[in-house]
Amino acid sequence: MDVRSSTWRAKNILNKGKKLKPEQLYWLAATHLPEIGPITFSKWLTIFENITTLFTADASELANAGLTPSQIHNLKNPDWHTAEKNLAWCEKNQCHLITLTDEMYPALLKEIPAAPLLLYVRGNPTLLNHPQLAIVGSRNPTPSGRELANHFAHTLASTGLHITSGMALGIDAASHRGALKAKGKTLAIFGTGLNQIYPHSHRDLAEEIANNGALISEFSPLESARAINFPRRNRIISGLSLGVLVVEAAIRSGSLITARYANEQGREVFAIPGSIHNPLAKGCHYLIRQGAKLIETAEDILEELGALHAITTPIKTIANPKKHDTLAPSLRALLAHIGYEITALDTIIMRSGLTATQVSSMLLSLELQDFIKTTQGGYQLK
C-alpha cells in the first residue's frame, strides 16, 4: 500500500467516526505495528513534527530518519482493520483515548521508560493526573490482609488520595472497594482490554469503578487475559502513583514486580509487616529489608508523601485503642494468650491452663466486646 492509499484508508475510517480527532486514528494504528514498541516509536516522534507527519512521510524521508526497510513497510501498511474496530468499540462504549502527546496524558506516567503510547479510559480521564497511591497484594490473602487493604484504602481515599490497583482478586478488589466505600476515587488498571473484565466475577465492581473513578488499559478492548500482559500492567500501576503499598505478598508474586517497577521509577515503596508464620508476609518482609518503608498506620504513608502531595483533609482516626483495663482480670489474662496471627483454640487452652468450656465462654465474651475475631483455624486480636 503506497502513501496515498494509506492516507485515503485513514480518512475513510475517520469519516465513519463522529468524535475521533484525526491523529487519534494514527495512534490506534501505532499500537499494532509489528516489532515496533513504545520506545522506538517515541524516538521517531522526536524526529517528526507529530504523528500525522510521521505516518504521511514518504519512504525516502523515513529512510533518512533511520527507519529500516522493514519498519517503513510496517508503518506504511498498518492494521487499519483493527484500528477501525477499536475505534467503533470506543465510540459505542464512551471510552476516551488518551495519547502520549495529549494534554490529559498523566504526567507521572509519561516519565517512565516505555510509557504506553495510548490509554483506553472508561470513566473520568481527568483523575489520571490526580495524586494516587497504589495498593497491591496477594490474590489469596488472609482475612486480616483483606481487611487491612480495605481499611487503608478507605482511610487514605478519605484524605483525597486516589487509590490505584489492578482489579485482581484479593487485595486489589479489597482496595478498590475500600476507596468506593469512603466515597473516594479509585482507578483500576487492566491487564486485558476494557471489554474483557478479568476476573469475570468483577463485572459489577468494574461498572461501579467506571461510575466513580476510571478503568484504564493500554490494550485493545478485545484483548483477552494473557500472562505476558500483567507485568506490563504493573508498570502502569506504579507509574501513575506517588507510591506503592504492598499488603501481603509471596516472594514470587506480581506485587513484588510492581514494587520493583516503583523503585526503578523513583516512587515510594511501602510494605505492611506480618507474622513470621504467615507465608504471605515474606514478600513484605523482603521489601522492608530492601529499603521499603515499614507501615503500621495510614499516617505513616501520609508523612512520607507529605512533600509530594499536599493533603488538606484531615485523616480519620484509624482505630481507637481498646481499653483493656475495662476487662475482667480473667478475660485480660486470656487475651494475653491470643496473638495478631491466627491462634488455634487448642493453643489458647494449652497456654491458659483452663478447660475448653471455660475458654469457649470467655472467647465469646471477648468477641462480643470486639477484642478478638473468629477466623478460619482459630482467633485473632482485632
Side-chain angles (χ1 to χ4, degrees):
M1 182 181 289
D2 60 27
V3 174
R4 286 182 298 175
S5 59
S6 177
T7 304
W8 174 87
R9 176 74 168 127
K11 289 181 178 179
N12 187 47
I13 296 172
L14 284 170
N15 288 336
K16 299 178 182 179
K18 304 298 183 184
K19 302 176 182 178
L20 199 72
K21 298 175 183 177
E23 65 273 13
Q24 285 183 315
L25 181 65
Y26 292 118
W27 285 103
L28 283 167
T31 60
H32 294 283
L33 294 174
E35 302 177 5
I36 299 172
I39 293 177
T40 298
F41 199 86
S42 296
K43 179 182 176 182
W44 293 347
L45 291 177
T46 65
I47 301 172
F48 291 86
E49 181 180 354
N50 53 49
I51 194 168
T52 301
T53 56
L54 171 60
F55 266 91
T56 57
D58 61 35
S60 61
E61 291 176 304
L62 295 173
N64 289 336
L67 277 71
T68 66
S70 175
Q71 289 172 333
I72 293 172
H73 178 270
N74 291 335
L75 190 64
K76 290 304 171 190
N77 297 276
D79 186 352
W80 292 120
H81 174 71
T82 298
E84 184 175 11
K85 186 166 60 175
N86 292 341
L87 164 61
W89 187 91
C90 288
E91 292 189 334
K92 180 180 179 181
N93 293 276
Q94 298 181 319
C95 177
H96 304 272
L97 293 171
I98 310 298
T99 69
L100 187 62
T101 56
D102 193 308
E103 61 182 14
M104 294 182 70
Y105 194 94
L108 281 179
L109 187 63
K110 188 179 287 189
E111 295 175 358
I112 73 170
L117 297 178
L118 181 148
L119 297 171
Y120 296 86
V121 181
R122 279 194 62 214
N124 185 350
T126 65
L127 300 181
L128 275 67
N129 270 299
H130 286 220
Q132 300 166 45
L133 177 81
I135 303 181
V136 298
S138 172
R139 286 177 169 80
N140 298 289
T142 64
S144 175
R146 194 186 307 272
E147 290 172 6
L148 280 172
N150 186 283
H151 179 73
F152 270 80
H154 184 283
T155 303
L156 293 166
S158 70
T159 73
L161 276 172
H162 297 343
I163 303 301
T164 301
S165 198
M167 272 291 287
L169 295 168
I171 296 299
D172 287 17
S175 302
H176 290 306
R177 292 191 172 105
L180 291 169
K181 186 178 179 180
K183 300 190 183 306
K185 302 299 182 183
T186 185
L187 297 88
I189 317 304
F190 280 39
T192 64
L194 294 185
N195 193 49
Q196 303 293 312
I197 307 300
Y198 181 81
H200 298 303
S201 58
H202 281 172
R203 287 188 175 278
D204 290 343
L205 177 61
E207 284 306 308
E208 190 174 358
I209 293 173
N211 293 326
N212 298 278
L215 308 176
I216 302 157
S217 179
E218 69 172 319
F219 303 106
S220 294
L222 301 178
E223 176 80 12
S224 59
R226 296 193 299 157
I228 194 174
N229 289 349
F230 290 93
R232 291 179 60 184
R233 175 207 59 179
N234 293 350
R235 88 191 194 286
I236 298 177
I237 293 174
S238 57
L240 283 168
S241 307
L242 296 170
V244 173
L245 171 64
V246 182
V247 184
E248 290 196 337
I251 287 291
R252 297 184 181 277
S253 67
S255 301
L256 264 65
I257 294 175
T258 306
R260 190 191 75 225
Y261 278 130
N263 188 57
E264 293 171 353
Q265 294 163 357
R267 310 298 194 253
E268 297 289 341
V269 179
F270 308 107
I272 298 178
S275 167
I276 60 172
H277 303 295
N278 179 4
L280 293 178
K282 293 187 181 299
C284 293
H285 293 169
Y286 170 81
L287 291 173
I288 292 167
R289 289 196 298 271
Q290 297 301 309
K293 308 294 192 306
L294 186 155
I295 297 300
E296 295 178 316
T297 69
E299 287 94 335
D300 296 338
I301 293 174
L302 298 178
E303 287 175 6
E304 291 293 334
L305 296 183
L308 301 174
H309 170 43
I311 296 170
T312 57
T313 305
I315 75 166
K316 297 177 181 178
T317 303
I318 292 176
N320 292 321
K322 297 184 176 63
K323 296 181 180 179
H324 289 198
D325 55 5
T326 63
L327 286 172
S330 59
L331 292 177
R332 201 182 316 156
L334 186 68
L335 197 62
H337 299 303
I338 305 171
Y340 286 99
E341 72 282 0
I342 297 174
T343 310
L345 176 60
D346 288 347
T347 301
I348 300 171
I349 293 171
M350 181 187 68
R351 289 173 178 174
S352 66
L354 300 172
T355 67
T357 301
Q358 290 173 312
V359 169
S360 295
S361 175
M362 295 166 72
L363 288 174
L364 177 60
S365 178
L366 287 170
E367 189 170 6
L368 291 173
Q369 295 182 65
D370 205 33
F371 282 91
I372 63 171
K373 61 183 176 181
T374 304
T375 63
Q376 184 176 2
Y379 298 83
Q380 282 180 288
L381 293 175
K382 294 188 73 172

